[in-house]
């Protein structure tokens, strides 16, 4: 007999059970993070905490899928209240006949309840499911319950929900589903562990077709559609779900950790072409060397990433394909030069036309060399940039200041510059610092965006970022024009490939020891950065920016630029100062400069040097000498304008057969110039004997010769046995390499005064 106490407890429990129906059920289940491209194509799904792929619940459910599922699982779904009495009675009958549980009589609602609270299929569990189903029916609409079912139904393996299954099996979303696909997806959850697409394909096909025929019989599908649906093959299955743009997906994931659904900026078409072209190209160059390729393509004006290739093959562990070369910091080679030149023009005194010396030079223990070890003597700044000469770049950096340039680069987003300006020194402009494609590409976009740095945009709905004005409009214009110039030695080999003739401002770079080859280009539509190198950090024979990276850069521009010539709009720069410059020297013209022109320069330049190339002198008409007040005959004078070059420039030009007209010598009988010697050779002193261990007739050893000058900024030129060695400024130290023997070291100042010291070298 029930005691009174037991009755109270039992009634209480029933009451409590009913009370729980009054509270809405909790939604459970962790969604995967998902990344789409800009057109809604799936790029990547991440495993959720339960190691499953699961798209979030969507209210939009395919009608085909719904029809197939309800026909197969729960025909009276819209009529029952969570429990289907007709099905229950039939199930009990069947189970009693069979003597064991064979049919569950589960409604969709009860299945949702079970999926959310999985456990053993006991009688008590059935009751609990029924209770949860009732509760759900009370609180949710039928469509909501079906949507929930669609999002949590297991589809085999770690695939959960219809949307996930559609992308996994068919490569598209559920809105594009066919009847055959809908029927297949309705069947899969039946026994997801056993009945899967990898095994039992024949059985699955048979059951799918039976369901399709039933659906046709029930009037859902017409005969024609049925016939084509029956012909549809089952989707092919490969074991791993391989996603597109793996490196890009990883970057986006780490940048936007709080977002579940990510709408990436990748353009599927651009990405497809990029991968095809880069992989073809990669195959060719990989025949010769073990290199990898990374490419970043952005829309110039918006900064949106449209193409992203971290490495040639993500899954190729042999070549370390997992490394993302777009984000890796690598030695910059010459790729930063355009920005130093821009700053030099902005601060002054340089203009794009300024003549700049390219002669052997010794900078406090550092002697830069051009890539081909040659010297040009003197040339316009713009040509020094297109030819990417090292000596002028180092000289400009020395004038501009390493610290200021370093500061500007850091501010422009180069986060790979970990060391101090002092540690980099002047080599900062020759690749001493490191940067990544993702940092460099926005810098180059800036040249096309009137000096505004364009932040990279990774996802479509990101708030537009701050685009800082880092260069004046007119400066960006000049650099862009220089980098667009077709008169450049490395262009010849590409202009044939580059048949669209769309102007592109571009620059290449090669790091020390041929480890990294860069090519970055920008036009109105695209900014493209290419890196070629070796992820293992080794050097690659014959690797250079122009031979390895530029061809790929131009193939990509060729292939991606649709609108041809209209793309290159003439720039509009509003703020500038028109300055009259000397056509020869490129500096501010004086009244003696014979030919002048106006050039638009940045405003507020700190330095505006005037032309020092043209000098006015007084000569004797009769003798042709230069004369001065100490030696002239007032009747016999003539004012002329002459071109003046430094001794070092003359020396280089002389060697290359391009020496300008000689400067007029001063009257040899004039007494004024005689005592003008303002410098001396400090080391080696005249008659010195040097002991250089290791030096003999065959092997040369080095030492540093030293001179001193009274004037701080004086320049001296050095000669060994009459051959030009180089020039020094400020600190007069010159590296000399000699074997054993007798030598003369000579030093000449800018007035042409020459001093010499004889010395002897012995090995011991
Ligand atoms: Zn001039
Ligand atoms: Zn004189």
């Amino acid at each position: 007999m029930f005691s009174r106490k037991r009755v109270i407890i039992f009634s209480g429990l029933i009451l409590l059970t009913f009370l729980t129906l009054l509270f809405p059920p909790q939604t459970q289940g962790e969604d995967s993070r998902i990344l789409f491209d800009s057109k809604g194509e799936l790029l990547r799904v991440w495993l959720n905490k339960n190691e499953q792929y699961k798209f979030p619940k969507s209210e939009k459910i395919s009608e085909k899928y719904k029809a197939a599922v309800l026909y197969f699982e729960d025909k009276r779904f819209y009529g029952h209240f969570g429990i289907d009495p007709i099905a229950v009675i039939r199930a009990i009958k069947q189970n009693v006949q069979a003597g064991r549980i064979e049919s569950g009589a589960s409604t969709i609602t009860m299945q949702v309840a079970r999926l959310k609270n999985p456990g053993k299929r006991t009688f008590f569990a059935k009751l609990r499911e029924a209770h949860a189903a009732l509760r759900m029916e009370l609180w949710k609409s039928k469509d909501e319950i079906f949507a929930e079912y669609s999002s949590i139904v297991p589809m085999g393996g770690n695939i959960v929900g219809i949307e996930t299954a559609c992308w996994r099996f068919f490569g598209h979303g559920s809105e594009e589903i066919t009847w055959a696909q809908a029927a297949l997806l309705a069947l899969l959850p039946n026994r997801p562990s056993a009945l899967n697409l990898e095994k039992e394909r024949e059985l699955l096909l048979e059951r799918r077709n039976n369901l399709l025929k039933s659906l046709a019989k029930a009037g859902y599908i017409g005969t024609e559609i049925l016939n084509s649906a029956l012909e549809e093959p089952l989707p092919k299955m490969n074991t791993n779900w391989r996603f597109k743009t793996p490196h890009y997906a990883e970057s986006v994931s780490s940048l936007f950790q709080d977002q579940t659904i990510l709408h990436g900026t990748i353009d599927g078409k651009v990405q497809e072409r990029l991968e095809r072209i880069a992989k073809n190209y990669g195959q060719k160059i990989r025949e010769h060397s073990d290199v990898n390729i990374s490419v970043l393509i952005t829309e110039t004006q918006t900064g949106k990433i449209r193409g992203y290739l971290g490495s040639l093959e993500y899954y190729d562990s042999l070549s370390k394909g997992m490394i993302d070369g777009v984000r890796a910091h690598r030695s910059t080679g010459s790729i930063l030069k355009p920005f130093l030149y821009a700053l030099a023009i902005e601060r002054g005194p340089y203009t794009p036309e300024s003549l700049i010396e390219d002669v052997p030079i010794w900078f406090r223990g550092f002697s830069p060399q051009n890539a081909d070890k040659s010297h040009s003597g003197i040339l316009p700044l713009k040509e020094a940039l297109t030819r990417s000469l090292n000596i002028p770049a180092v000289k400009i950096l020395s004038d501009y200041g390493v610290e200021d340039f370093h500061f500007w680069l850091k501010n422009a987003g180069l986060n790979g510059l970990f060391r101090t300006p002092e540690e980099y020194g002047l080599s900062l402009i020759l690749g001493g610092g490191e940067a990544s494609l993702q940092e460099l590409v926005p810098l180059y976009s800036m040249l096309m965006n009137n000096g505004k740095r364009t932040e990279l945009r990774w996802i479509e709905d990101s708030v537009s970022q701050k685009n800082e004005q880092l260069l004046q409009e007119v400066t960006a214009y000049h650099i862009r024009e220089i980098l667009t110039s077709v008169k450049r030695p490395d262009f010849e080999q590409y202009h044939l490939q580059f048949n669209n003739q769309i102007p592109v401002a571009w620059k290449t770079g090669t790091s020390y020891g041929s480890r990294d080859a860069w090519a970055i280009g920008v036009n109105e539509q695209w900014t493209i950065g290419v890196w070629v190198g070796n992820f293992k950090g080794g050097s690659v024979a014959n690797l250079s920016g122009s031979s390895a990276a530029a061809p790929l850069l131009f193939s990509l521009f060729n292939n991606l630029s649709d609108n041809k010539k209209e793309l290159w709009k003439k720039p509009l720069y509003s703020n500038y100062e028109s300055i009259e410059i000397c056509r020869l020297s490129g500096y501010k013209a004086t009244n003696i400069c014979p030919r002048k022109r106006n050039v638009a320069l940045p405003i507020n330049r700190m330095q505006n040097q005037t032309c020092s190339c043209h000098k006015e002198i007084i000569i004797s008409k009769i003798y042709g000498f230069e004369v001065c007040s100490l030696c002239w005959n007032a009747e016999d004078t003539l004012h002329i304008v002459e071109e003046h070059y430094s001794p070092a420039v003359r020396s280089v030009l002389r060697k290359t057969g391009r020496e300008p007209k000689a400067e007029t010598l001063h009257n040899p009988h004039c007494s004024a110039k005689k005592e003008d010697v303002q410098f001396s050779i400090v080391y080696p002193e005249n008659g010195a004997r040097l002991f250089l261990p290791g030096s003999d007739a065959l092997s040369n050893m080095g030492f540093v010769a030293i001179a001193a000058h009274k004037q701080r900024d004086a320049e001296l030129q050095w000669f060994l046995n009459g051959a030009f060695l180089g020039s020094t400024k400020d600190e007069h130290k010159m590296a000399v390499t000699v074997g054993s023997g007798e030598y003369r070291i000579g030093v000449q100042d800018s007035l042409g005064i020459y001093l010499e010291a004889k010395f002897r070298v012995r090995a011991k």
Side-chain angles (χ1 to χ4, degrees):
M1 285 303 285
F2 293 126
S3 74
R4 193 191 161 97
K5 202 175 162 189
R6 283 191 178 176
V7 171
I8 292 173
I9 292 172
F10 193 66
S11 320
L13 275 174
I14 291 175
L15 186 66
L16 269 177
T17 309
F18 274 99
L19 278 175
T20 56
L21 292 173
L22 298 177
F23 297 96
Q26 298 295 307
T27 319
Q28 288 179 346
E30 176 119 7
D31 292 331
S32 286
R33 301 182 68 209
I34 298 157
L35 173 63
F36 294 103
D37 76 3
S38 62
K39 302 271 162 41
E41 288 296 314
L42 182 69
L43 293 178
R44 171 85 196 251
V45 191
W46 282 270
L47 289 167
N48 66 12
K49 281 183 187 151
N50 307 324
E51 301 284 303
Q52 295 166 325
Y53 295 113
K54 179 184 176 301
F55 271 59
K57 192 172 80 179
S58 160
E59 300 302 329
K60 279 189 280 175
I61 302 292
S62 151
E63 288 301 322
K64 291 173 196 164
Y65 173 68
K66 193 188 244 177
V69 170
L70 294 185
Y71 187 87
F72 185 67
E73 298 265 2
D74 191 356
K75 292 193 184 67
R76 286 172 293 279
F77 177 65
Y78 279 94
H80 61 62
F81 48 93
I83 301 161
D84 181 357
I86 301 170
V88 170
I89 291 163
R90 203 180 55 211
I92 290 170
K93 230 162 124 186
Q94 281 174 2
N95 292 341
V96 166
Q97 278 167 4
R100 56 194 159 91
I101 294 180
E102 206 165 56
S103 169
S106 275
T107 62
I108 290 292
T109 322
M110 284 173 76
Q111 289 192 42
V112 172
R114 188 174 66 242
L115 288 168
K116 288 169 79 169
N117 204 347
K120 278 189 181 166
R121 298 179 75 176
T122 61
F123 178 71
F124 185 72
K126 272 275 176 214
L127 271 186
R128 204 177 53 202
E129 276 164 29
H131 169 263
L134 282 174
R135 191 176 170 197
M136 230 182 295
E137 292 277 346
L138 264 175
W139 285 94
K140 294 186 174 179
S141 73
K142 286 285 182 184
D143 287 345
E144 278 173 335
I145 294 168
F146 192 81
E148 187 132 20
Y149 170 82
S150 308
S151 79
I152 61 174
V153 61
M155 292 289 192
N158 54 2
I159 305 299
V160 177
I162 176 202
E163 198 65 32
T164 324
C166 276
W167 283 108
R168 174 70 172 105
F169 303 142
F170 316 128
H172 57 68
S174 64
E175 70 268 31
E176 291 170 54
I177 204 169
T178 65
W179 276 108
Q181 293 171 341
L184 179 68
L185 293 186
L187 285 168
L188 278 181
N190 203 24
R191 280 159 64 200
S193 53
L195 198 64
N196 68 49
L197 276 164
E198 281 172 77
K199 308 151 198 171
E200 300 187 291
R201 288 176 71 87
E202 271 170 42
L203 180 64
L204 204 50
L205 188 66
E206 190 192 317
R207 291 204 180 171
R208 184 199 74 177
N209 289 349
N210 288 342
L211 179 55
L212 283 170
K213 285 172 197 163
S214 305
L215 284 165
K217 232 178 245 171
Y220 289 100
I221 316 176
T223 325
E224 236 171 82
I225 294 174
L226 172 67
N227 288 338
S228 65
L230 293 174
E231 293 296 306
E232 210 174 294
L234 290 184
K236 286 207 180 83
M237 278 301 294
N238 35 6
T239 325
N240 293 314
W241 197 350
R242 286 214 169 174
F243 297 108
K244 297 169 182 171
T245 61
H247 288 114
Y248 168 78
E250 279 168 9
S251 297
V252 171
S253 169
S254 68
L255 286 168
F256 303 94
Q257 286 176 11
D258 52 337
Q259 295 189 33
T260 311
I261 307 287
L262 294 149
H263 296 281
T265 48
I266 290 288
D267 180 323
K269 276 187 191 156
V270 173
Q271 182 68 24
E272 182 271 317
R273 292 190 204 177
L274 161 60
E275 287 183 17
R276 179 168 44 82
I277 294 167
K279 281 174 187 176
N280 279 342
Y281 181 75
Q283 258 175 4
K284 267 187 266 164
I285 59 169
R286 274 182 151 181
E287 282 170 14
H288 313 290
S289 46
D290 177 23
V291 291
N292 226 309
I293 292 177
S294 308
V295 181
L296 178 61
I297 301 176
T298 68
E299 219 170 63
T300 299
Q301 273 160 36
T302 62
K304 287 181 178 176
I305 294 170
R306 297 305 194 196
Y308 192 111
L309 190 72
S311 69
L312 277 175
E313 185 48 68
Y314 183 87
Y315 299 96
D316 178 4
S317 54
L318 214 65
S319 64
K320 294 187 183 286
M322 303 273 272
I323 294 176
D324 183 353
V326 171
R327 299 213 289 170
H329 285 120
R330 308 288 307 203
S331 166
T332 47
S334 296
I335 208 78
L336 297 176
K337 280 178 185 162
F339 306 99
L340 173 65
Y341 282 64
L343 295 170
I345 291 171
E346 212 149 85
R347 181 186 287 179
Y350 299 100
T351 76
E353 314 289 332
S354 295
L355 285 182
I356 181 156
E357 293 191 357
D358 177 29
V359 296
I361 201 160
W362 189 264
F363 276 103
R364 296 180 189 87
F366 169 55
S367 176
Q369 295 286 329
N370 291 324
D372 63 359
K373 308 275 189 286
S374 73
H375 299 98
S376 295
I378 199 162
L379 73 170
L381 178 140
K382 60 183 184 185
E383 198 186 323
L385 177 55
T386 54
R387 290 175 56 192
S388 200
L389 297 175
N390 290 336
I391 293 170
V394 169
K395 191 172 153 40
I396 290 173
L397 180 57
S398 158
D399 288 353
Y400 187 81
V402 176
E403 200 169 324
D404 287 0
F405 186 49
H406 183 267
F407 179 81
W408 188 91
L409 292 173
K410 287 283 257 190
N411 186 46
L414 261 59
N415 297 319
L417 300 175
F418 300 113
R419 286 177 279 158
T420 63
E422 295 73 41
E423 285 171 308
Y424 287 116
L426 293 169
S427 75
L428 180 59
I429 197 57
L430 302 183
E434 297 194 328
S436 64
L437 277 177
Q438 71 160 346
E439 294 166 350
L440 292 167
V441 162
L443 271 191
Y444 275 79
S445 295
M446 171 169 75
L447 299 177
M448 203 64 216
N449 290 329
N450 289 329
K452 274 203 188 101
R453 181 175 178 274
T454 317
E455 293 280 341
L456 283 189
R457 287 177 66 183
W458 297 79
I459 56 173
E460 285 289 343
D461 35 10
S462 63
V463 227
S464 148
Q465 283 141 315
K466 200 179 110 210
N467 292 329
E468 211 180 330
Q469 188 89 41
L470 293 181
L471 292 176
Q472 291 188 31
E473 291 172 353
V474 65
T475 317
Y477 159 75
H478 280 303
I479 297 301
R480 196 172 96 196
E481 289 295 297
I482 294 171
L483 296 183
T484 309
S485 155
V486 291
K487 285 181 194 159
R488 43 202 292 183
D490 46 0
F491 190 79
E492 290 307 313
Q493 50 180 313
Y494 304 124
H495 83 278
L496 289 176
Q497 303 163 24
F498 189 44
N499 48 29
N500 275 352
Q501 298 296 310
I502 304 155
V504 173
W506 61 292
K507 179 83 189 74
T508 60
T510 310
S511 72
Y512 180 76
S514 297
R515 285 179 167 80
D516 310 272
W518 303 88
I520 306 181
V522 52
N523 71 10
E524 202 141 308
Q525 191 179 11
W526 304 113
T527 308
I528 303 179
V530 174
W531 173 87
V532 180
N534 183 317
F535 284 144
K536 292 161 195 159
S539 64
V540 182
N542 300 322
L543 185 81
S544 79
S546 59
S547 70
L552 178 57
L553 179 77
F554 281 103
S555 312
L556 290 168
F557 268 112
N558 257 340
N559 199 282
L560 295 173
S561 307
D562 344 293
N563 297 330
K564 316 236 157 140
K565 284 173 189 169
E566 298 97 73
L567 280 171
W568 197 261
K569 276 191 264 163
K570 274 284 164 191
L572 294 169
Y573 48 84
S574 43
N575 269 340
Y576 67 96
E577 198 176 345
S578 181
I579 290 187
E580 191 178 48
I581 58 165
C582 167
R583 281 201 158 205
L584 175 71
S585 72
Y587 289 99
K588 203 173 175 183
T590 65
N591 54 3
I592 59 165
C593 293
R595 294 183 309 136
K596 305 165 194 183
R597 59 175 283 217
N598 278 306
V599 47
L601 289 175
I603 54 167
N604 301 326
R605 296 196 342 146
M606 288 163 79
Q607 299 167 33
N608 256 319
Q609 191 177 299
T610 52
C611 170
S612 59
C613 198
H614 288 111
K615 281 191 177 140
E616 188 175 30
I617 55 167
I618 303 166
I619 61 165
S620 151
K621 276 189 278 185
I622 299 165
Y623 301 107
F625 294 132
E626 184 194 8
V627 289
C628 65
S629 60
L630 293 175
C631 63
W632 71 32
N633 172 357
E635 314 269 283
D636 171 34
T637 58
L638 179 67
H639 288 247
I640 62 159
V641 174
E642 268 190 350
E643 291 173 18
H644 273 238
Y645 298 93
S646 75
V649 169
R650 276 193 177 273
S651 165
V652 170
L653 292 177
R654 191 179 301 128
K655 269 198 236 170
T656 54
R658 296 179 294 135
E659 193 183 4
K661 187 167 168 275
E663 289 152 31
T664 307
L665 292 175
H666 199 80
N667 177 5
H669 306 295
C670 175
S671 56
K673 302 275 170 180
K674 296 290 184 200
E675 296 128 33
D676 236 13
V677 185
Q678 299 207 14
F679 65 100
S680 63
I681 297 171
V682 177
Y683 179 82
E685 70 273 31
N686 197 25
R689 288 162 183 236
L690 307 186
F691 299 102
L692 299 178
S695 70
D696 53 40
L698 292 172
S699 37
N700 290 343
M701 295 301 289
F703 72 96
V704 176
I706 303 166
H709 199 287
K710 285 181 187 173
Q711 306 290 331
R712 215 173 144 236
D713 283 336
E715 185 163 7
L716 292 176
Q717 294 183 60
W718 295 75
F719 300 87
L720 188 67
N721 288 353
F724 182 64
L725 277 180
S727 60
T728 53
K729 223 175 168 181
D730 299 337
E731 205 182 0
H732 299 286
K733 289 185 175 173
M734 175 56 66
V736 182
T737 329
V738 285
S740 50
E742 284 186 18
Y743 298 92
R744 288 175 290 123
I745 189 152
V747 179
Q748 188 174 30
D749 72 359
S750 55
L751 298 169
I753 295 169
Y754 179 80
L755 298 178
E756 201 173 68
K758 288 180 181 161
F759 63 97
R760 183 178 291 176
V761 173
R762 281 202 330 211
K764 268 184 185 172

